[in-house]
Amino acid sequence: MKEQWFVTTKRADFQAIAAKFGIDQVTARIIRNREIIGEAAIASYLDSSTRQLHDPHLLKDVDKGAAILAEKIASGKKIRIIGDYDIDGVNASYILITGLRQCGAYADHVIPDRVHDGYGINCSMITKALADGIDTIVTCDNGISAAQEIAFAKQSGMDVIVTDHHEVPFTVGEDGQKSYHVPDADAVVNPKQADCPYPYKGLCGAAVAWKLVQVLYERMGVPVEKSFEMIAHAAFATVGDVMDLTGENRTIVKLGLQAIHQTDNPGLSALIQQNGMEKEQVKSWHFGFVLGPCINASGRLDTAKRSLQLLMEPSLEKASQLARELVELNDRRKSLTLEGLEEAKRLIESEGLSNDPVIVVYLPQCHESLAGIIAGRIRELYHKPVFVLTDAEDGGVKGSGRSIEAYSMYEEMSKCSALMTKFGGHPMAAGLSMEKENVDRFRRDLNAYATLTPEDFIEKIHIDVPMPLSYITTKLIREFECLEPFGKGNEKPVFAVRDVHPLRASVVGKNKNVLRMVLDDGAGGSMDAVYFGDIEAFLAFLREKASGAQVDALLRGAPQGIRFSMTYDPSIDDYLGRERVQVVIRHYC
């Protein structure tokens, strides 16, 4: 995969910003690079308190939905929550069931089985709800694309409230205009609706559910502050569902992390403990790459009901057992993912699929729940939009897609809608079902419609600040914490330095998977560095620049005349209680 490095050169009076807010000019430059402009916006970005949260009443239909629920609670009607089997749907279900029961509702919950039910509400669930005497259905993290199913529920005499955050389905007319199709539910709470005045459109499903609970609490006389007992779950889902950490989302995650550091939820506490951490150590990265995959693993390989059971379990002892099982499931998921990824790479290279603008790879034997993860890994390798398709139990084909910034996945899939029995998603990720005979046509049509250029396939490395290693201090690294939480839309800052000189190097770790170096940047002093990537490729790069003999000498601790440029993360290594600054090498050239 090709890379291009760019230094971001946005202008501002960094000295004045630094003086005004008591921060380093480097920090001021990073904030400007995130398009945070003006004193009010900078103050808001650095604040991230509850003052930055928008009024939930601005969500279209949220008051209508809360009024319906209040009436149902007062009359003792049965309410059923229908969620989704991923981290967003599980946490949204937890928020709704907890909030409704806090208000005295007679409420239960159902989470679809990924294999047997597929995504979202379906007619068999509605039939079962009727048999169970359910009066009202509340969806979360699904429902916006279920017009037919909701129409069936309405015809059967049920009330339906949709809470969702996915794109509203649309068709494109001959004039090129989009016609949006919102299901005819009693209330549809989704900020993506064109006529919804909510100022921030990027909420996850759990955050939308949380906003509805806030309005319901207000109506039912429950202190709205009590809803903040669930903000950790909204934050968990926001990161886990890869929402942009901008605006209100960043505030939700920042407040949610503060809450999780003090959580008394036995399930969350047990999950953190089973992953070898303390609550105070949890950062947004752990939501996305350590804790979140454990929640998702049950929905992929077993049933997401186990994850929801974990979050709702009052006993720490039982929660610990559930958490242990989820960690074991996630370990199994990792192994299966690696097998599927290797098979996908083999097919892509042997069949020439890497030449396609949009990679569509069919893995009939792959567990359908792993398609999205494998698609994401392939996208990272080729920097192209990727769909991974696999055989479904119903005889058809299911798949997931992961995209790049230049390719709006949901919009491009809409051009091939006739080939799919079901599809939905975001610009960056999507899911679909189709008949097996349409797989080749789907690949051909997607690529025929694609307008991607070779430039779109080059990964752009945007450098925030070219910064010599000698400028880094523990004080500066700790100051960077004000920029957190990091994630999509608020990436970790990227620093770079030219022509560093390695003084010595060694490959360490139980599996020999860490390269340690001591680097001199020629600006005064040396610094420890670590590299966790493909060590063989890195050493081959150094051999190409210099020679094998020089690299071998370097690995024996003898400085050589080798120089390279790199991007890096500054960090504090506190091994054995002794703090020292080090850098983590990300890219090199």
Side-chain angles (χ1 to χ4, degrees):
M1 183 178 66
K2 295 180 180 178
E3 292 178 352
Q4 286 182 346
W5 294 18
F6 300 89
V7 177
T8 306
T9 55
K10 296 176 180 177
R11 299 188 180 279
D13 188 342
F14 300 118
Q15 188 173 359
I17 293 170
K20 169 73 177 177
F21 292 97
I23 55 179
D24 193 281
Q25 289 189 49
V26 169
T27 309
R29 186 181 292 272
I30 295 165
I31 291 172
R32 173 62 184 88
N33 288 349
R34 302 297 179 269
E35 295 297 343
I36 312 300
I37 302 168
E39 288 189 2
I42 295 170
S44 174
Y45 181 86
L46 294 172
D47 176 12
S48 292
S49 68
T50 55
R51 291 187 296 273
Q52 312 308 320
L53 299 175
H54 298 301
D55 182 353
H57 293 281
L58 294 173
L59 278 165
K60 183 189 176 189
D61 279 4
V62 74
D63 285 289
K64 187 190 294 186
I68 293 169
L69 290 172
E71 180 191 337
K72 302 298 182 182
I73 292 168
S75 55
K77 302 293 186 182
K78 290 184 179 180
I79 301 168
R80 174 159 294 169
I81 296 154
I82 296 182
D84 187 25
Y85 41 66
D86 70 354
I87 187 171
D88 193 12
V90 167
N91 279 282
S93 298
Y94 172 82
I95 287 168
L96 282 177
I97 196 71
T98 303
L100 284 168
R101 288 178 178 173
Q102 175 66 45
C103 294
Y106 187 5
D108 64 14
H109 51 83
V110 168
I111 293 184
D113 182 277
R114 183 187 290 265
V115 174
H116 299 298
D117 297 311
Y119 169 75
I121 187 172
N122 61 42
C123 289
S124 64
M125 289 181 189
I126 295 165
T127 302
K128 179 70 166 61
L130 285 167
D132 292 342
I134 299 298
D135 175 87
T136 301
I137 286 174
V138 185
T139 72
C140 53
D141 194 31
N142 76 94
I144 197 66
S145 60
Q148 289 184 327
E149 292 82 358
I150 289 168
F152 172 59
K154 293 294 299 169
Q155 290 162 10
S156 303
M158 303 175 77
D159 287 339
V160 182
I161 298 168
V162 170
T163 74
D164 202 351
H165 74 122
H166 290 95
E167 301 291 337
V168 179
F170 63 83
T171 52
V172 180
E174 293 181 2
D175 58 357
Q177 296 296 308
K178 294 178 181 176
S179 297
Y180 291 92
H181 309 294
V182 177
D184 190 23
D186 295 275
V188 178
V189 187
N190 182 342
K192 295 277 178 68
Q193 295 176 92
D195 57 347
C196 177
Y198 198 77
Y200 188 78
K201 304 297 183 181
L203 297 177
C204 71
V208 174
W210 183 59
K211 295 282 181 175
L212 173 61
V213 167
Q214 288 185 313
V215 176
L216 179 63
Y217 276 9
E218 195 176 294
R219 182 174 285 269
M220 298 295 293
V222 178
V224 176
E225 296 75 28
K226 197 163 182 62
S227 69
F228 283 84
E229 294 174 1
M230 296 179 282
I231 195 169
H233 298 273
F236 195 8
T238 298
V239 177
D241 212 34
V242 201
M243 299 291 100
D244 283 338
L245 296 192
T246 58
E248 188 174 29
N249 275 352
R250 183 169 170 272
T251 301
I252 288 171
V253 174
K254 200 158 192 173
L255 296 173
L257 284 167
Q258 293 171 11
I260 208 168
H261 293 163
Q262 302 167 15
T263 186
D264 56 2
N265 179 285
L268 281 179
S269 300
L271 188 61
I272 293 165
Q273 188 178 44
Q274 288 297 322
N275 278 283
M277 293 187 294
E278 300 295 331
K279 290 184 285 191
E280 297 77 14
Q281 295 175 299
V282 176
K283 294 195 171 187
S284 57
W285 185 86
H286 299 106
F287 276 165
F289 295 98
V290 179
L291 305 175
C294 295
I295 296 293
N296 279 332
S298 70
R300 295 184 190 282
L301 301 183
D302 186 28
T303 168
K305 294 173 187 175
R306 291 172 74 172
S307 291
L308 183 54
Q309 183 185 354
L310 171 73
L311 298 182
M312 299 185 69
E313 177 54 57
S315 160
L316 183 58
E317 184 180 350
K318 290 182 181 177
S320 295
Q321 176 60 34
L322 285 167
R324 194 176 306 115
E325 291 169 2
L326 293 186
V327 171
E328 290 169 357
L329 271 175
N330 192 43
D331 289 341
R332 182 173 158 230
R333 188 273 308 165
K334 290 177 187 176
S335 176
L336 291 172
T337 299
L338 187 59
E339 290 175 16
L341 178 61
E342 291 304 313
E343 174 65 7
K345 285 158 59 177
R346 186 190 67 78
L347 283 172
I348 289 167
E349 294 304 322
S350 65
E351 298 181 8
L353 300 178
S354 59
N355 298 320
D356 291 345
V358 182
I359 296 175
V360 179
V361 58
Y362 176 41
L363 303 175
Q365 303 304 317
C366 175
H367 195 292
E368 65 185 62
S369 68
L370 304 179
I373 303 175
I374 295 170
R377 299 280 177 84
I378 298 169
R379 176 195 58 192
E380 291 171 8
L381 289 173
Y382 295 95
H383 199 67
K384 289 185 173 186
V386 178
F387 288 89
V388 172
L389 309 178
T390 183
D391 284 351
E393 281 202 350
D394 61 7
V397 166
K398 286 186 177 179
S400 291
R402 297 294 183 268
S403 197
I404 58 176
E405 293 293 341
Y407 188 84
S408 178
M409 192 154 267
Y410 180 81
E411 196 143 340
E412 293 297 315
M413 290 170 70
S414 297
K415 299 174 184 176
C416 306
S417 59
L419 298 177
M420 294 172 282
T421 53
K422 198 173 185 180
F423 73 100
H426 312 285
M428 295 298 289
L432 63 104
S433 301
M434 67 171 62
E435 299 301 328
K436 197 172 295 188
E437 58 265 26
N438 287 335
V439 168
D440 289 337
R441 172 93 181 272
F442 180 69
R443 178 186 291 120
R444 289 197 306 271
D445 286 5
L446 276 180
N447 280 288
Y449 289 130
T451 57
L452 294 162
T453 67
E455 186 74 15
D456 294 325
F457 306 135
I458 299 173
E459 185 179 10
K460 312 298 191 294
I461 308 298
H462 294 280
I463 296 163
D464 284 292
V465 185
M467 186 167 71
L469 303 181
S470 53
Y471 192 80
I472 305 169
T473 63
T474 54
K475 180 176 181 292
L476 182 62
I477 294 171
R478 290 210 163 91
E479 182 177 299
F480 292 154
E481 292 176 5
C482 74
L483 305 170
E484 296 184 20
F486 298 128
K488 183 171 177 283
N490 189 51
E491 308 291 344
K492 284 185 86 168
V494 178
F495 303 98
V497 61
R498 288 181 183 273
D499 296 331
V500 291
H501 175 209
L503 303 178
R504 58 182 179 272
S506 59
V507 179
V508 299
K510 186 171 71 173
N511 299 315
K512 298 294 182 183
N513 58 350
V514 179
L515 179 65
R516 283 199 170 275
M517 308 178 85
V518 177
L519 301 177
D520 175 12
D521 67 359
S526 61
M527 182 167 293
D528 291 338
V530 292
Y531 179 66
F532 298 105
D534 186 336
I535 294 171
E536 285 304 313
F538 193 359
L539 295 177
F541 158 77
L542 294 180
R543 290 187 180 101
E544 190 176 328
K545 273 190 67 69
S547 70
Q550 284 179 294
V551 173
D552 290 342
L554 182 68
L555 290 167
R556 291 194 299 270
Q560 302 295 305
I562 302 172
R563 295 187 183 276
F564 63 92
S565 299
M566 67 179 191
T567 69
Y568 66 89
D569 293 336
S571 65
I572 298 171
D573 180 10
D574 59 358
Y575 181 65
L576 297 177
R578 291 180 57 189
E579 288 190 346
R580 60 180 180 178
V581 173
Q582 69 174 17
V583 296
V584 179
I585 300 170
R586 294 299 182 198
H587 304 267
Y588 53 86
C589 74

